[in-house]
Amino acid sequence: MTAIDSKNAAKRKVASLAFWSIVLAFVVLGLKLAAWYVTGSVALYSDALESIVNVIASAAAYWAIQVSHKPADQDHPFGHHKAEYFSAVLEGVLIVLAALLILNEVWWSLRHPVPLEQPWTGLAINGVATVINAFWALTLIRAGRAEKSPALVADGKHIMTDVATSVGVFIGLVGAVLTGWQVLDPALAVIVALNILWQGWHVIGSSMNGLMDRAVDTQEHMRIRDIISANCKGALEVHDLKTRIAGRATFIEFHLVVDADMSVGASHVICDRIEDALKAEIPSVRVTIHVEPDDEAKLPKGTTAVPFA
């Protein structure tokens, strides 16, 4: 399989997962609304409300993924990779909105308490929805990290938050039914709201970090240095290595110092060798190399053991 075929396959995989995420979000929403309908539980209502956010967020993620895979054009010469971060920011905002709506419902239920109806039926329905969500969240997170898709990872983490919420609601409502403490129902909803508020803030912060051209982590930075070092034979030095992440793409740029008498063709061969090695190890990498003569070196002349300044 060629690099282009591999890239297209990855694109189809991510788009397919994003599409099915919308379908499953509707299925789970339907189940959770049914659980709330048969019980009247404000905690189950809060769980269903978060699933409404899941539907909107999944649709936004699907749109963002479609945009991010568009090739570079005249207006966007570096590509559209950052589109996925906007989807993740939107998802975070929606999570916060859902939390505020839940708190409003809790206030209403405390003023107008209603006994639970058919709690075991509702919990069973909600349990099925939770199992579906758990399986799909793990699938999205694994695929999103493998394909470097922030939108899929954010969607998966949000759904996993929904799973944790559902498990907590299940345990709490079982306790409420067995003990008769109806106050546990709105209390659980408050806990749910505070939890998703925290998760929403985390999603927004992570996405904003991506929009700010965050560099790769230290481990990945050292791996990039090692790849360059192993393939820069003929050069005198490498300095000013910079990286940034934009969705699936990793941008790498650095200065390559060569002998002032080296021909353009010979220096180009070194650049090609380094670039090919980086592309073989790092998916969707973009490499920019600035070639400089030896009088631009930052290390003392004669240094050969350490190629980086």
Side-chain angles (χ1 to χ4, degrees):
M1 179 180 291
T2 66
I4 295 178
D5 290 337
S6 179
K7 183 178 180 180
N8 289 336
K11 174 183 175 181
R12 288 192 296 269
K13 178 181 178 181
V14 171
S16 176
L17 286 170
F19 172 78
W20 282 106
S21 193
I22 300 174
V23 174
L24 288 178
F26 272 110
V27 171
V28 169
L29 172 61
L31 290 171
K32 290 190 174 184
L33 286 174
W36 166 59
Y37 179 78
V38 301
T39 62
S41 165
V42 67
L44 290 180
Y45 166 81
S46 68
D47 208 7
L49 192 61
E50 190 176 1
S51 290
I52 294 176
V53 176
N54 283 350
V55 172
I56 299 173
S58 296
Y62 181 74
W63 167 84
I65 288 169
Q66 296 297 318
V67 173
S68 71
H69 278 93
K70 288 182 177 180
D73 54 35
Q74 185 174 354
D75 294 328
H76 306 88
F78 291 98
H80 301 76
H81 309 288
K82 288 188 178 181
E84 294 194 33
Y85 289 118
F86 290 101
S87 167
V89 170
L90 173 62
E91 186 162 346
V93 172
L94 290 174
I95 292 173
V96 173
L97 177 61
L100 296 177
L101 291 175
I102 291 170
L103 291 174
N104 179 71
E105 184 66 18
V106 169
W107 174 246
W108 186 91
S109 68
L110 287 173
R111 296 174 62 190
H112 307 88
V114 178
L116 298 178
E117 302 177 5
Q118 304 182 61
W120 299 115
T121 302
L123 286 172
I125 297 172
N126 212 58
V128 173
T130 301
V131 171
I132 295 173
N133 260 353
F135 168 77
W136 192 244
L138 291 173
T139 300
L140 289 179
I141 292 172
R142 282 197 298 264
R145 287 174 176 168
E147 304 299 337
K148 292 191 175 183
S149 171
L152 280 189
V153 172
D155 202 17
K157 286 184 176 180
H158 178 204
I159 295 174
M160 188 56 74
T161 302
D162 196 10
V163 171
T165 297
S166 298
V167 171
V169 167
F170 183 89
I171 295 173
L173 285 182
V174 168
V177 173
L178 295 179
T179 63
W181 297 349
Q182 296 299 321
V183 71
L184 285 176
D185 184 31
L188 283 169
V190 172
I191 294 173
V192 169
L194 294 177
N195 179 53
I196 65 176
L197 268 175
W198 169 253
Q199 292 296 327
W201 177 254
H202 179 73
V203 169
I204 292 173
S206 177
S207 302
M208 292 301 292
N209 197 20
L211 289 171
M212 293 297 292
D213 286 339
R214 177 176 58 87
V216 300
D217 59 37
T218 302
Q219 183 178 358
E220 183 70 0
H221 183 87
M222 296 308 297
R223 187 166 79 99
I224 291 170
R225 284 174 60 107
D226 290 341
I227 294 171
I228 296 172
S229 295
N231 293 275
C232 66
K233 183 179 180 181
L236 301 177
E237 178 185 296
V238 175
H239 59 246
D240 292 349
L241 172 63
K242 298 176 184 178
T243 64
R244 66 182 177 92
I245 300 173
R248 299 176 312 282
T250 299
F251 290 83
I252 300 172
E253 63 176 71
F254 57 89
H255 294 188
L256 183 73
V257 179
V258 300
D259 190 292
D261 295 327
M262 179 178 286
S263 68
V264 173
S267 62
H268 185 67
V269 169
I270 300 174
C271 292
D272 280 347
R273 186 169 65 242
I274 296 174
E275 187 172 353
D276 290 343
L278 287 169
K279 289 182 176 179
E281 295 291 332
I282 304 172
S284 301
V285 72
R286 307 289 191 274
V287 183
T288 301
I289 306 174
H290 178 65
V291 178
E292 297 180 334
D294 50 22
D295 59 357
E296 295 291 334
K298 294 186 176 182
L299 291 172
K301 288 189 176 182
T303 301
T304 58
V306 183
F308 275 86

